[in-house]
Amino acid sequence: MQIIRAAAAGFCTGVRGALKTVDQALMDIEQKDREGKQRLVFTLGPIVHNRLVVERLTARGVGVVETVEELLSKTGSQLVIRSHGVGPSFFRKAEEYGIQVIDATCPLVRRVQQLAKSLSDDGYRVVIIGDPNHPEVTAVLEWTNGQGMVVANAVEARTILEYPRIGIVSQTTQIESNYLEASSVLLRKGREVRAFNTICPATRERQEAAIALAQTVDAIVVVGGFDSANTRKLVELCSTQGIPVYQVETASQLEPVWFEKVQRVGVTAGASTPEWIIEEVIGKMSEIEQEGMATEELLEKENLSDSPDEGEIVETMEDQLTKEMPDLRTGNVIKGKVILIRDDEVLVDVGGKSEGIVPLKELSVRNITSALEVVKVGDDIEVLVVRAENDEGTMILSKRRADQMKAWEGLEEAFQSGVELAGEVVQVVKGGLLVDVGARGFAPASLIERGYVSNLEKYLGKVLRLRVIDLDRNKNKVVLSQKAILEEEYEEARKELWDTIEAGQHRKGIIRRLTNFGAFVDVGGADGLLHISEMSWTHINHPSEIVQENEEIEVLVLAVDKDKQRISLGLKQIVRSPWENAAEKYQIGQIVTGKVVRTVPFGAFVQIEPGVEGLVHISQLASYRVGRAEDVVNAGDEIPVKILDFKPQEQRMSLSLSKAREEMEAADEQQIVEEYQEAKTGEDNDTDSLTTE
Ligand code: F3S
């Protein structure tokens, strides 16, 4: 087996510088000790993300504190700030408490802090592309005067709002492709955007060397602390090359089985891994290789020897039996059949005349009250051996953990590929939802919908569409986002909308927001304005008289301005105009009843029916000269009017009150005459008949 070391691996300048600073501080102490003034050295957090390095320093008397307050009782102590740096509030506090600080912030990290500060001072909204929980990022964020924000990737970048000025910086250990993807999204979020690729050249060099090596070997070993971000990223990058990748912190974690049938193996190391650990790992790998060769030689010799004697045949049969026995060692996943279900446990036959128990809480990631919710007798299941035998000689098994192990493989794949998952919400917790995705995942409240979610309870039992946005198997952490999928879809719909929308189209939309002057309607990718004047043919005081928030409506696209990204919508246009209806019902000369809606100096407007108003000119209010319309009619009066002129296309109608009254009076008179004549004719007939008698 050929062991090949990556062209760039191990300590970077920043880490080396920080360790040198600690060394110097220790030497200083020794000097002071000789002078009789004992002083102590502390680091703020572990100086590097490497347990072994920190242990060595502890042995030399270097303490670790998490806050500056912890040093208040340790007079005369010195505090070394590690390469990740700190925020400005830390320096203020240290000065206030009189604590001597030795700043070993990596010069490249300090440059990022200074950039963040000056961008923020210049009015830019600073966006840091990185891990929001990483100390380097939290410190840089503090330098933005509380105006910064962090996005982990392009998906999260899509969720931030638009700002006039955006300044972009990156965590120094970011993967370059992630920075480029996220920053290309951010470039569209501001009118004026300044982007600084602040990825450390040493990080880039290590990552490129690791990928190049991974392309030429059968397997690769990455050496570095499990809590080291840059080591984790090396693992991530090597994994994309389709070869087995193993991360170890020390040589003792190497497993010989990894190197079976491996011809060429690569070794790389994170920026916080010292040379001596890398050498130990390579040394141990050589030992494993020697041992493997020796075993192969032995087997070859055995194969060449004569036919087996009786003793050897017995041994072979024993081997055969062993093969049929399940491997019941702790941590193994084995197959079994459910043979009995009790109230709080399930009995499983795992073969080889062995049985084990799955306690109720080990059956499912969900909170269940009965085993029957998950299994029934006769089911074939996979279980993990939690304990080969407990004090009473019973084997304890877990279906939950076996399922989770399987689920983790799927989750890791989903995390890498970005594929969409479905998961049922099983619990509402502070700040979000717990979702069953094989393992328990957490969907923060802010990542469930595109907008704000006030009531989380409504999601309980519902199946969400999810994307894995953060994953840490060691910490059992799965962070999920439905919003990421919805945002992407919205973005696609938005693009399609702007490509296809034209004035004159009918579109379906959802009322997102009401204002005094109208409503904003989401027409599937952008919000259009439905002005209050375009809502109804009749006068309305507020949009809420016609539409409600979240209501789905059909609208007519009145105008589109693609440059300014503005859409004007109409609602009243898609129903028949009341003037069109009126054209079929009314004609010139007809007398109708209407209601006075308002008086004006030149007459009164009279509503014939909702949306159809006509003018009674002041000269048509009465047969005599009228000084003020109010002398004859008032708003609210119901009056008869005669239609003098009617132009429905122009939405105009001229009316006359005086003519209507004249004609009505004439008609009344006519009727009286007719009734009189009728009555007279009756009387004459009666007289005639009396005369005849
Ligand atoms: Fe500095 Fe780069 Fe190392 S930023 S701490 S030299 S990884």
Side-chain angles (χ1 to χ4, degrees):
M1 179 173 77
Q2 199 182 351
I3 302 167
I4 308 159
R5 182 177 166 153
F11 272 179
C12 64
T13 334
V15 168
R16 204 173 286 124
L19 284 164
K20 228 176 177 177
T21 307
V22 175
D23 261 344
Q24 186 57 50
L26 280 169
M27 273 155 48
D28 189 34
I29 283 181
E30 282 155 18
Q31 177 65 30
K32 299 281 175 194
D33 269 355
R34 277 196 291 277
E35 291 168 13
K37 297 178 199 163
Q38 201 194 339
R39 292 162 67 123
L40 306 161
V41 174
F42 291 87
T43 62
L44 184 69
I47 190 82
V48 286
H49 289 302
N50 193 296
R51 190 171 47 85
L52 302 175
V53 174
V54 174
E55 277 171 12
R56 280 194 171 193
L57 286 174
T58 311
R60 290 175 65 197
V62 178
V64 177
V65 290
E66 296 301 329
T67 61
V68 70
E69 282 82 2
E70 287 175 56
L71 291 184
L72 283 176
S73 57
K74 299 186 171 64
T75 324
S77 53
Q78 300 182 61
L79 181 58
V80 180
I81 293 175
R82 58 188 168 176
S83 52
H84 298 323
V86 290
S89 65
F90 177 86
F91 289 108
R92 282 197 296 274
K93 244 194 232 174
E95 196 179 348
E96 194 184 312
Y97 297 154
I99 288 162
Q100 191 195 340
V101 169
I102 306 172
D103 187 1
T105 304
C106 169
L108 294 172
V109 175
R110 196 174 300 124
R111 180 178 159 254
V112 187
Q113 295 175 346
Q114 284 161 354
L115 263 175
K117 181 169 184 321
S118 76
L119 281 168
S120 176
D121 289 345
D122 291 346
Y124 287 83
R125 182 62 73 129
V126 177
V127 183
I128 306 157
I129 300 170
D131 174 357
N133 300 316
H134 194 278
E136 176 195 320
V137 176
T138 49
V140 173
L141 191 61
E142 223 200 283
W143 285 96
T144 65
N145 309 322
Q147 294 297 308
M149 60 185 99
V150 184
V151 296
N153 47 37
V155 174
E156 283 188 32
R158 281 192 195 99
T159 65
I160 72 160
L161 298 173
E162 293 182 358
Y163 295 95
R165 303 176 109 194
I166 292 182
I168 306 169
V169 294
S170 164
Q171 183 180 346
T172 53
T173 49
Q174 269 298 290
I175 294 176
E176 186 117 27
S177 58
N178 189 52
Y179 165 80
L180 293 173
E181 279 169 26
S183 57
S184 67
V185 173
L186 293 170
L187 285 172
R188 297 194 296 271
K189 293 279 183 178
R191 279 200 296 280
E192 202 183 312
V193 182
R194 297 185 69 194
F196 296 89
N197 181 343
T198 48
I199 296 174
C200 154
T203 301
R204 193 178 294 124
E205 201 187 353
R206 262 162 200 71
Q207 291 176 352
E208 283 169 5
I211 293 176
L213 179 59
Q215 286 166 348
T216 63
V217 292
D218 308 319
I220 196 158
V221 174
V222 182
V223 192
F226 290 110
D227 54 351
S228 155
N230 73 81
T231 308
R232 266 201 315 268
K233 280 179 185 134
L234 288 178
V235 173
E236 240 174 73
L237 283 170
C238 293
S239 302
T240 60
Q241 302 305 311
I243 53 162
V245 180
Y246 307 106
Q247 184 185 352
V248 293
E249 221 172 14
T250 65
S252 64
Q253 290 162 349
L254 291 165
E255 296 281 351
V257 69
W258 297 344
F259 307 107
E260 282 173 7
K261 301 200 179 86
V262 168
Q263 303 281 323
R264 289 159 62 85
V265 61
V267 179
T268 184
S272 46
T273 312
E275 193 56 31
W276 58 268
I277 296 185
I278 304 173
E279 278 170 11
E280 257 181 32
V281 168
I282 293 178
K284 176 81 181 172
M285 284 165 70
S286 307
E287 270 174 35
I288 289 172
E289 191 211 356
Q290 299 301 324
E291 281 165 17
M293 277 165 54
T295 315
E296 265 173 36
E297 269 171 32
L298 198 68
L299 282 173
E300 241 170 63
K301 272 186 204 152
E302 280 177 2
N303 286 342
L304 290 173
S305 65
D306 295 330
S307 307
D309 59 21
E310 201 180 316
E312 282 168 332
I313 290 172
V314 171
E315 211 176 288
T316 311
M317 282 171 69
E318 274 176 10
D319 283 351
Q320 198 63 37
L321 275 174
T322 315
K323 263 185 209 158
E324 283 166 16
M325 288 283 289
D327 188 346
L328 302 178
R329 279 175 299 176
T330 300
N332 279 354
V333 174
I334 51 174
K335 287 191 166 48
K337 192 182 271 298
V338 177
I339 50 173
L340 182 67
I341 294 182
R342 299 194 192 112
D343 281 352
D344 57 354
E345 61 187 23
V346 167
L347 197 62
V348 178
D349 177 359
V350 292
K353 301 213 168 94
S354 299
E355 288 163 3
I357 277 174
V358 185
L360 193 65
K361 70 174 175 31
E362 293 298 333
L363 265 175
S364 171
V365 288
R366 301 173 182 221
N367 294 328
I368 53 168
T369 50
S370 161
L372 288 167
E373 291 174 39
V374 183
V375 287
K376 58 183 187 310
V377 172
D379 277 358
D380 291 317
I381 57 172
E382 284 194 349
V383 284
L384 179 133
V385 182
V386 177
R387 199 161 38 194
E389 277 189 348
N390 67 7
D391 301 342
E392 292 137 24
T394 314
M395 180 164 42
I396 303 294
L397 307 168
S398 171
K399 178 177 184 306
R400 172 174 69 84
R401 296 186 208 193
D403 290 348
Q404 273 179 331
M405 279 174 72
K406 219 191 234 172
W408 271 102
E409 282 160 28
L411 287 170
E412 271 160 4
E413 214 176 289
F415 183 45
Q416 297 293 342
S417 64
V419 76
E420 181 179 326
L421 302 175
E424 188 185 329
V425 178
V426 290
Q427 202 180 333
V428 176
V429 292
K430 192 167 172 248
L433 302 170
L434 290 186
V435 185
D436 177 8
V437 281
R440 265 181 186 227
F442 176 63
S446 60
L447 297 182
I448 295 168
E449 300 287 354
R450 287 188 57 239
Y452 173 70
V453 174
S454 55
N455 172 20
L456 289 174
E457 296 292 335
K458 69 177 179 192
Y459 292 98
L460 206 55
K462 296 245 163 65
V463 174
L464 301 183
R465 301 168 61 202
L466 299 159
R467 181 153 299 148
V468 183
I469 58 161
D470 196 8
L471 195 68
D472 190 333
R473 197 164 178 170
N474 296 330
K475 294 183 186 158
N476 210 15
K477 179 171 107 178
V478 188
V479 184
L480 304 160
S481 168
Q482 177 171 259
K483 182 179 178 175
I485 297 169
L486 301 180
E487 279 293 348
E488 269 176 29
E489 288 178 350
Y490 189 76
E491 207 43 55
E492 273 166 32
R494 184 181 172 83
K495 193 173 170 316
E496 147 127 39
L497 177 94
W498 286 110
D499 286 347
T500 57
I501 195 162
E502 300 289 347
Q505 290 174 343
H506 282 222
R507 292 254 174 182
K508 286 226 161 32
I510 293 174
I511 307 286
R512 290 290 177 217
R513 194 159 54 90
L514 296 185
T515 67
N516 287 338
F517 58 85
F520 286 96
V521 186
D522 178 356
V523 282
D527 286 355
L529 174 64
L530 173 58
H531 195 269
I532 190 166
S533 61
E534 303 297 348
M535 283 186 174
S536 167
W537 290 106
T538 57
H539 174 77
I540 55 168
N541 293 315
H542 193 269
S544 58
E545 291 170 34
I546 303 289
V547 289
Q548 303 303 322
E549 278 183 359
N550 296 322
E551 185 186 342
E552 193 183 3
I553 57 167
E554 188 175 340
V555 284
L556 178 75
V557 181
L558 299 179
V560 179
D561 184 336
K562 293 192 181 179
D563 293 335
K564 292 188 183 148
Q565 303 228 314
R566 281 192 197 141
I567 304 169
S568 306
L569 304 170
L571 179 62
K572 67 182 187 186
Q573 293 81 355
I574 60 172
V575 293
R576 221 166 161 226
S577 149
W579 288 94
E580 285 175 62
N581 290 334
E584 290 169 10
K585 281 164 69 181
Y586 306 109
Q587 52 266 236
I588 295 170
Q590 195 176 348
I591 294 177
V592 291
T593 305
K595 188 188 242 178
V596 178
V597 283
R598 63 192 177 282
T599 53
V600 287
F602 51 87
F605 282 96
V606 175
Q607 186 189 71
I608 305 302
E609 62 176 61
V612 181
E613 283 179 17
L615 172 68
V616 183
H617 191 265
I618 196 158
S619 60
Q620 295 295 332
L621 280 172
S623 51
Y624 51 88
R625 192 176 174 282
V626 175
R628 293 183 329 131
E630 293 83 3
D631 296 339
V632 182
V633 291
N634 284 299
D637 287 353
E638 288 217 343
I639 54 167
V641 283
K642 179 172 178 178
I643 301 173
L644 300 182
D645 195 13
F646 182 27
K647 292 185 176 133
Q649 285 90 349
E650 294 170 31
Q651 303 190 353
R652 291 178 60 169
M653 196 180 248
S654 301
L655 304 168
S656 170
L657 171 60
S658 57
K659 295 243 166 25
R661 283 204 172 132
E662 270 169 29
E663 285 189 20
M664 285 166 75
E665 276 164 21
D668 285 350
E669 277 168 23
Q670 177 67 26
Q671 192 178 357
I672 291 167
V673 170
E674 281 171 10
E675 280 171 9
Y676 170 77
Q677 282 174 344
E678 221 171 84
K680 182 115 188 2
T681 312
E683 266 173 36
D684 289 348
N685 287 345
D686 288 348
T687 315
D688 284 351
S689 66
L690 279 174
T691 313
T692 313
E693 277 169 16

